[in-house]
Amino acid sequence: MNQITFTKPDDWHLHLRDEKQMASVVMHTAKYYKRAIVMPNLSNPVFTLELAQQYRERILKALRDDTAFEPLMTIYLTGDTSSQQIVEAKDSGIIHAVKLYPAGATTNSARGVSNLDQCDAVFRTMEKIGVPLSIHGEVTDSEIDIFDREKVFIEKHLSVLVKRYPDLKIILEHITTKDAVQFVESCSNNVGATITAHHILLNRNNILVGGIQPHHFCLPVVKTEADRQAVLNAATSGNPKFFLGTDSAPHARQEKESATGKAGIYSSPVSLPIYIEMFERENKLDQLEGFASFFGADFYSLPRNQETVTFKKEESTVPGRYDYANDYVVPLKANETVQWKLAE
Ligand code: DOR
Ligand code: ZN
């Protein structure tokens, strides 16, 4: 196949940052995706509806007038978030999920939740009024190996949440393991998962072989080859519980190539070509549209998009860097080739 046309996809997990940095990256997503769930972990996190409204306005302002890109906003959950705030957020029509970061799990998560019991009333309200809970599923205990943190989160916390709140819609974000795939498959249809381009492309050798590769470091960290294959199989399976979420997470080059390099892979400019290529390699291009364009919208109870995108098979080299405010950001597959290109 040399050309493929499908319904314009959405990105159900995206980091846009803020101000000039946001303005430098948002068009890379808007080029390929119609909508995106915008994560709230800014350095001043989006704790409230009011902050989300203001952030949304800044994003819309940064977009060129001619794009129809729609940011879907989220709120950052803390131990102090109230049920009333959740009700107001839902009523606003602009908030599509509440994001749970276990405190300390990742970038700007210090104000996240350290005891899930504190959120009982909020979870009950979300369950009742239909607000999805988006979860960064990793424990942070120092004695738990970083490669086991997703698995242990599922065992210790997620399995409890799904039993306690059976009607709560839960998205286990950026799944990385066979354990996560099996767990999500075993749950009711209220539990889904996003899958990134990097977690179906890379295994942990890509971080550590041939010298440390900081641009492949993200959280949850990429896992074994068997895990990568399990996650890729889930993505290409046609099971509507699994849908596209890039977790594209730009950091300035200096912050990545540092003694304490930040976690996050910047994939917006290449994510869709990578997904297409990986589905093609598996001989599963027929499953791409469901994964990229239908299942996430269905899970979030939003309409499917009407527009289409066309990609042609044509090799191109990914730029080594993109401007990022006063610095630059190195994308996934920098200076390497991708096989599919948007037909303009
Ligand atoms: O690698 C990651 N980067 N994982 C996350 O969960 C957050 C993200 C970021 O915001 O940088
Ligand atoms: Zn993320």
Side-chain angles (χ1 to χ4, degrees):
M1 207 190 284
N2 287 318
Q3 187 162 306
I4 175 172
T5 297
F6 56 102
T7 302
K8 192 165 188 181
D10 303 303
D11 182 350
W12 299 99
H13 185 134
L14 176 67
H15 298 270
L16 282 178
R17 313 307 187 204
D18 207 351
E19 308 290 349
K20 281 189 185 155
Q21 296 180 329
M22 179 263 288
S24 351
V25 297
V26 66
M27 288 309 298
H28 294 153
T29 291
K31 179 177 170 187
Y32 293 123
Y33 299 96
K34 169 80 181 169
R35 298 171 286 196
I37 287 278
V38 180
M39 289 297 160
N41 63 331
L42 303 181
S43 45
N44 294 313
V46 182
F47 294 127
T48 63
L49 169 61
E50 197 188 353
L51 290 170
Q53 281 165 331
Q54 292 163 358
Y55 184 30
R56 181 170 174 275
E57 290 304 320
R58 293 196 295 278
I59 296 168
L60 293 175
K61 212 170 141 195
L63 285 160
R64 286 205 306 262
D65 294 342
D66 58 344
T67 86
F69 177 72
E70 203 186 324
L72 307 174
M73 308 312 290
T74 60
I75 282 183
Y76 186 113
L77 184 66
T78 74
D80 298 326
T81 308
S82 70
S83 291
Q84 180 62 24
Q85 283 179 295
I86 301 296
V87 172
E88 284 167 13
K90 164 87 178 175
D91 287 347
S92 75
I94 68 156
I95 303 297
H96 295 271
V98 169
K99 180 68 188 274
L100 164 63
Y101 289 105
T106 188
T107 308
N108 299 331
S109 64
R111 298 282 307 278
V113 177
S114 37
N115 177 1
L116 287 171
D117 292 339
Q118 284 183 309
C119 303
D120 179 64
V122 162
F123 291 155
R124 291 201 190 282
T125 302
M126 290 170 65
E127 188 178 29
K128 193 163 133 208
I129 67 176
V131 176
L133 177 66
S134 156
I135 300 185
H136 183 109
E138 287 192 288
V139 294
T140 57
D141 319 49
S142 58
E143 70 276 16
I144 305 293
D145 191 279
I146 193 160
F147 290 99
D148 294 332
R149 288 179 175 196
E150 182 177 84
K151 178 182 157 73
V152 175
F153 182 90
I154 291 168
E155 288 164 3
K156 268 180 72 175
H157 302 296
L158 188 55
S159 59
V160 176
L161 289 181
V162 301
K163 281 206 193 82
R164 203 175 280 169
Y165 313 103
D167 293 328
L168 179 61
K169 281 201 170 178
I170 293 178
I171 306 102
L172 182 57
E173 301 289 350
H174 40 54
I175 57 169
T176 62
T177 56
K178 195 172 179 178
D179 306 280
V181 169
Q182 286 173 346
F183 179 80
V184 170
E185 283 171 347
S186 76
C187 289
S188 80
N189 288 340
N190 286 328
V191 181
T194 52
I195 293 179
T196 75
H198 48 273
H199 287 112
I200 61 173
L201 178 72
L202 308 173
N203 65 35
R204 62 197 196 184
N205 293 348
N206 295 111
I207 317 172
L208 295 169
V209 175
I212 290 179
Q213 301 191 43
H215 297 289
H216 289 163
F217 175 58
C218 65
L219 289 169
V221 67
V222 299
K223 305 286 189 312
T224 66
E225 176 56 17
D227 286 312
R228 184 193 71 82
Q229 192 62 57
V231 174
L232 178 58
N233 289 348
T236 59
S237 66
N239 183 338
K241 285 168 160 286
F242 300 105
F243 44 89
L244 186 158
T246 64
D247 198 17
S248 177
H251 289 279
R253 187 193 70 109
Q254 280 191 26
E255 309 238 54
K256 294 285 293 171
E257 298 175 10
S258 126
T260 51
K262 292 257 167 71
I265 293 180
Y266 184 54
S267 64
S268 289
V270 288
S271 53
L272 206 43
I274 291 171
Y275 285 116
I276 299 172
E277 189 173 334
M278 297 307 290
F279 274 64
E280 183 189 31
R281 267 197 230 166
E282 296 294 296
N283 243 323
K284 288 288 177 66
L285 274 179
D286 56 332
Q287 301 295 348
L288 178 71
E289 188 176 43
F291 172 79
S293 316
F294 294 160
F295 302 155
D298 297 350
F299 191 90
Y300 276 90
S301 305
L302 290 168
R304 294 178 176 184
N305 294 327
Q306 299 295 315
E307 308 89 319
T308 58
V309 285
T310 297
F311 278 79
K312 55 188 175 183
K313 197 159 187 187
E314 184 185 307
E315 191 169 280
S316 64
T317 301
V318 178
R321 63 194 207 183
Y322 289 93
D323 289 340
Y324 188 56
N326 303 324
D327 202 319
Y328 58 90
V329 54
V330 177
L332 180 60
K333 276 199 170 257
N335 301 314
E336 293 177 45
T337 54
V338 286
Q339 304 305 316
W340 289 86
K341 197 171 183 178
L342 192 63
E344 303 288 350

